[in-house]
Amino acid sequence: TDTFVLDFVNKAEDIREAILAEYFAPNGRFCLDTQTAYVLALHYGIWRDRQRVMDAFRTRLERDFFKIKTGFAGTPLMLPTLFECGLDDYAYRLLMNEELPGWLYAVNMGATTIWERWNSVLPDGTISGTGMNSLNHYAYGSIVEWLWGSVAGIQPCEEAPGFRKAQIVPHVNWKLRSVVAHFPSPAGVYRIFWEIRDLSHICLHVEVPKGCEAEVVLPLHPE
């Protein structure tokens, strides 16, 4: 077993080095300039110079006018990766975009579920096509996991399976102002409410199911 694990680790490192050799210049510049490429590299820790990749990622989003341009591979990781990089404001700018492509375009078109295509329904209300065009699809709908787990901030703790213990780490932002979330976990309902009242006051309300516990990390004051 130990030999197998060692071989696996060595092979993984060989693959990582091959990716770096193919897609990264010796000075750390990432040779791919797409949103998905930056997301995958940053999320999975594949870089020569992380800060340089983050800077290029920010530039790419600015040049794209904060319109999301990812597909099935990049979209589920886009907003979580921005949070991982401390780019919360960039994540919220993508979320709050109401134009096509964007989640709120679908909401403004009357959607109650997330579509398979960014333009599954056209501005005139007609369906954009019948091939590969589900109106309830997991790929872009994966944003809901981020809303529960990062914006509301409800995360399970590994030492207590079944949500008997949770970590509450909300990410507050002026672009959203407030969030109400009721999460029906196997152990009971967790209720989270946060609101930015003014420039100096944030209200956070947490309810924990009976018999459960939670570790709460206060917004902007993790200490």
Side-chain angles (χ1 to χ4, degrees):
T1 302
D2 292 342
T3 301
F4 173 79
V5 172
L6 182 59
D7 289 343
F8 183 83
V9 171
N10 290 337
K11 180 60 69 176
E13 187 58 30
D14 290 343
I15 293 171
R16 183 177 187 276
E17 287 300 321
I19 294 173
L20 291 177
E22 180 71 20
Y23 296 110
F24 289 83
N27 65 1
R29 180 178 62 85
F30 195 9
C31 299
L32 298 176
D33 188 29
T34 68
Q35 291 183 15
T36 295
Y38 290 121
V39 166
L40 296 178
L42 289 166
H43 181 76
Y44 291 111
I46 303 173
W47 59 70
R48 295 190 187 277
D49 183 334
R50 182 174 186 260
Q51 187 60 51
R52 184 159 187 172
V53 176
M54 287 175 56
D55 291 343
F57 186 26
R58 285 199 297 267
T59 299
R60 178 72 273 156
L61 291 175
E62 291 163 2
R63 288 176 176 173
D64 291 337
F65 300 101
F66 295 95
K67 299 289 186 64
I68 191 165
K69 292 186 175 181
T70 49
F72 285 11
T75 301
L77 299 175
M78 169 63 87
L79 302 187
T81 299
L82 287 170
F83 270 15
E84 292 165 9
C85 293
L87 300 174
D88 291 22
D89 196 55
Y90 280 59
Y92 279 108
R93 287 190 69 170
L94 285 173
L95 173 69
M96 301 303 289
N97 168 49
E98 296 187 46
E99 299 177 350
L100 186 68
W103 290 281
L104 292 189
Y105 166 80
V107 173
N108 289 338
M109 290 297 295
T112 56
T113 51
I114 305 297
W115 307 330
E116 185 174 7
R117 300 182 189 176
W118 292 117
N119 67 337
S120 284
V121 178
L122 300 176
D124 63 5
T126 61
I127 300 295
S128 62
T130 56
M132 289 183 61
N133 197 3
S134 168
L135 297 182
N136 183 10
H137 203 272
Y138 77 95
Y140 300 154
S142 61
I143 188 176
V144 176
E145 179 183 6
W146 175 78
L147 291 171
W148 286 103
S150 297
V151 176
I154 307 170
Q155 296 283 347
C157 289
E158 292 182 0
E159 66 267 26
F163 269 95
R164 294 196 304 274
K165 181 178 180 180
Q167 187 178 59
I168 311 299
V169 191
H171 288 253
V172 303
N173 189 278
W174 274 100
K175 288 182 173 62
L176 201 56
R177 294 297 296 273
S178 67
V179 162
V180 177
H182 297 169
F183 178 63
S185 81
V189 179
Y190 285 85
R191 303 179 189 275
I192 310 297
F193 167 73
W194 64 254
E195 180 182 36
I196 300 176
R197 295 278 171 89
D198 53 47
L199 290 175
S200 58
H201 293 88
I202 297 172
C203 174
L204 174 62
H205 177 84
V206 177
E207 294 183 22
V208 179
K210 183 177 180 180
C212 299
E213 57 182 310
E215 173 188 342
V216 179
V217 179
L218 296 179
L220 309 180
H221 294 277
E223 72 283 0

